[in-house]
Structures are given as C-alpha cells and as structure tokens.
C-alpha cells in the first residue's frame, strides 16, 4: 500500500520555528485516549481522585525532582485529562545529571529538557504505572494507549496571561459539566 499524503497528513500543532527548550512557562493539557475517565470523578466541583489519579498526581509533582531545570506551577488532575503549567529553567542538564558532576565527557551530558521531552516522559511514566495498576490492582484497562498522541500547549508570555490560566486551572473542576472535555460533550 502506498502512502497517501492527503489521507495521512498530520500537521503539527506546535508553534513553527519556536524553541520549546527556552526558559519560560507553558500551559499544557494532556488528554486520555478517547477521553475515557480513568482518574476519578468530580464531586461538587472538587476532583475526587481514584488510585490511578493519585499516581498521576504523584508523578506530576515529582517531575522537578527527576528533571533539573523543570518546575511545575498550578495543576489539576481531571477524570480524563490534566491541566498544568510547566516551567522550564534552562539549566542545560538532562534527567538525573548534575551540573557539578564533571566526570562525564561533554558528549555524554544531556541537553536541556524541552517541553515535548517533559510531556513525553510524563506520559511514559504514568502509562507504565497505570499498566502496573491494571495488572496488580485490577484498574480498568485502556484500549491501546492511555494518553492521546498529542497534547495542547500555550506559551505563557505575560503575568496577566499567567494569572488568567491559573484561574482557569483552579476553576476547571467547578466547570466540569460544561467543559468541552466532559465525556458527554
């Protein structure tokens, strides 16, 4: 079968020619495959995380511990997606690498983490842990992949933008029924 570019053309949703390793804050939304609700529910505008949701939350919180130059700001775990702010500090070292560790040759020092790197590792870690939960604790399985192929991102460019996004994230559970990611939407 021959490749048909009209049928299989995927256009990137990333900002063309933007360097996603630049220091700054990025608002991301990562959705589950088919928007299935794997992480709990919303009760009276408050996320009630199940065990899977708690694992997702733990991994998100631990991102800065394992990836120098990566920090997190406000976030919320919803039943079928996560909203959060990732802050890249441009340290220039990769996972578990130490800037003080001069024992590695420069060629082995990893480059600064990019936003796609952080999201990819988050998805990988959470998928591995979720699969473990399916096997060990009979969590509901997922068809094919836990997460959608891509994610939404927005480069935060001002304090007013940051405050608007923080407000959106904080209020997202209260607006769950009207959210475009609500399962029946």
């Amino acid at each position: 079968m021959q490749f048909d570019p009209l049928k299989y053309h995927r256009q990137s949703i990333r900002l063309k020619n933007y360097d996603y390793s630049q220091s700054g804050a990025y608002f991301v939304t990562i959705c589950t495959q088919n928007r299935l609700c794997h992480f709990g529910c919303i009760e009276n505008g408050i996320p009630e995380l199940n065990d899977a949701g708690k694992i997702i939350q733990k991994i998100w919180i631990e991102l800065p511990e394992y990836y120098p130059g990566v920090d997190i700001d406000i976030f919320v775990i919803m039943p079928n997606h996560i909203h959060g702010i990732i802050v890249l500090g441009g340290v220039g070292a990769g996972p578990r690498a130490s800037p003080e560790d001069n024992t590695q040759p420069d060629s082995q020092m990893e480059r600064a983490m990019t936003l796609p790197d952080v999201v990819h590792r988050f998805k990988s870690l959470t998928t591995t842990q979720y699969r473990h939960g399916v096997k060990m604790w009979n969590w509901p399985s997922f068809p094919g992949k836990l997460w959608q192929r891509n994610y939404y991102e927005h480069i935060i460019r001002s304090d007013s933008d940051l405050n608007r996004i923080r407000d959106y994230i904080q209020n997202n559970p209260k607006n769950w029924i009207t959210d475009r990611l609500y399962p029946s939407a």
Side-chain angles (χ1 to χ4, degrees):
M1 185 162 81
Q2 201 170 25
F3 174 74
D4 182 353
L6 297 176
K7 186 175 180 181
Y8 297 106
H9 179 69
R10 284 190 173 164
Q11 195 160 356
S12 175
I13 60 173
R14 302 293 151 248
L15 189 60
K16 194 172 184 119
N17 298 322
Y18 184 82
D19 178 4
Y20 283 94
S21 66
Q22 286 187 62
S23 295
Y26 301 88
F27 169 50
V28 297
T29 299
I30 308 169
C31 299
T32 60
Q33 186 74 14
N34 302 322
R35 296 186 181 158
L36 296 176
C37 295
H38 292 298
F39 310 135
C41 61
I42 303 295
E43 293 289 333
N44 299 316
I46 299 170
E48 298 289 333
L49 300 179
N50 59 20
D51 290 339
K54 290 174 185 172
I55 291 290
I56 301 300
Q57 182 176 32
K58 179 180 183 298
I59 291 170
W60 181 268
I61 290 169
E62 290 177 348
L63 286 172
E65 294 176 37
Y66 295 101
Y67 303 110
V70 174
D71 206 353
I72 57 169
D73 196 283
I74 191 171
F75 70 95
V76 65
I77 309 293
M78 299 293 287
N80 63 2
H81 64 282
I82 177 173
H83 291 298
I85 297 174
I86 296 173
V87 181
L88 299 182
V91 165
R96 300 181 199 259
S98 169
E100 293 84 31
D101 181 11
N102 294 326
T103 60
Q104 294 180 335
D106 288 339
S107 63
Q108 291 180 347
M109 287 298 287
E110 294 193 37
R111 61 181 167 70
M113 294 287 288
T114 66
L115 182 63
D117 292 336
V118 175
V119 172
H120 170 76
R121 290 171 190 218
F122 171 76
K123 286 181 173 184
S124 294
L125 289 167
T126 53
T127 299
T128 299
Q129 290 298 312
Y130 195 97
R131 279 193 178 118
H132 182 73
V134 169
K135 290 177 186 171
M136 299 299 294
W137 302 299
N138 295 318
W139 293 355
S141 61
F142 52 88
K145 297 181 181 256
L146 179 60
W147 300 104
Q148 284 183 357
R149 176 183 172 269
N150 225 329
Y151 60 94
Y152 304 98
E153 55 80 13
H154 171 80
I155 303 160
I156 300 173
R157 299 178 188 259
S158 68
D159 286 342
S160 62
D161 198 20
L162 176 63
N163 291 330
R164 180 185 56 79
I165 291 167
R166 283 177 173 158
D167 186 56
Y168 174 80
I169 292 170
Q170 186 172 15
N171 290 311
N172 196 248
K174 296 174 195 162
N175 301 319
W176 175 233
I177 293 177
T178 60
D179 192 307
R180 64 183 180 83
L181 298 175
Y182 187 74
S184 65

